[in-house]
Amino acid sequence: VVKSNNVLLSTQTNLKLSARNSLNGNIEEIIIGSVNAEVVVNIGNEDKIVAIVTINSIENMGLKVGASVDVIIKASDIMIGK
C-alpha cells in the first residue's frame, strides 16, 4: 500500500535517484481537481498506481493520457498489507 501523495512521476527514464522503486507504465486517466490532479498509471497486468500532483505539474510535464511515465516510490513510503 502506498499513499498517492507519496508517488512521484517522471517522463525521463534514465534518472539516477536514491529511490529504489521505479516502475514504468502508461497514464490511463487524469482526474483534474481544483488544485491537484489524480494521475492513474497502469503498470501492467491491470495493476494501477495513483499519483497526486499539482495541475501546474501536469501542464509543465505535458502529461497526457497514453503517455509513458516512470512511477517512483521511496521504500520507506511502502506499507505491506495482508
Side-chain angles (χ1 to χ4, degrees), residues 37-74:
E38 290 183 17
V39 180
V40 180
V41 180
N42 187 327
I43 58 169
N45 295 325
E46 295 305 314
D47 292 323
K48 297 176 178 93
I49 296 179
V50 177
I52 301 292
V53 298
T54 63
I55 294 171
N56 193 35
S57 292
I58 296 277
E59 294 167 356
N60 288 340
M61 296 176 70
L63 298 179
K64 299 196 181 321
V65 172
S68 178
V69 293
D70 283 345
V71 175
I72 302 158
I73 307 165
K74 290 183 66 168

